[in-house]
Amino acid sequence: VQLEESGGGEVQAGGSLRLSCVLSDQIYGDYCMAWFRQAPGQEREGVANIGNLGNTAYADSVKGRSTISKDIAKNTLYLQLNSLKPEDTGIYYCAADAWVPFSGILRPDAYGYWGQGTQVTVSS
């Protein structure tokens, strides 16, 4: 499974971005997928997760401002980010795995497949 993110860029605070992640192999509806981000000097942190049944989970830092979704027909995972803040700045990665325990849905070590990342910069 290969993943490729796109959609990053530089926006002003309050703006929006939609990140995309195309997976090379067909998602048969049973892959667990997530978005993570990493700011300079910080550890990679989970942002949002979507399970095989479409159930979602969000980090408190983005809850209410973001939406994770997937289009299985297009092999694509999305992350809509609204009301962006400077602290949202970082490299955003998509991740996937065939099975992720509930306790690990926002933990980087629970995912085996990763994209290269796309930079998001939010200016104040």
Side-chain angles (χ1 to χ4, degrees), residues 9 16 18 25 33-34 37-38 53 56 59-60 69 75 90 93 95-97 102 111 117 120:
S16 298
R18 188 175 83 154
D25 291 336
M33 292 173 281
R37 67 185 180 191
Q38 188 164 20
L53 299 179
T56 59
D60 289 343
S69 61
N75 292 4
Y93 300 90
D97 212 299
F102 180 77
Y111 295 82
V120 171

Side-chain angles (χ1 to χ4, degrees), residues 43-64:
E43 292 186 354
R44 194 169 297 188
E45 63 173 355
V47 176
N49 155 278
I50 186 165
N52 59 328
L53 299 179
N55 45 306
T56 59
Y58 298 90
D60 289 343
S61 58
V62 301
K63 197 171 294 183

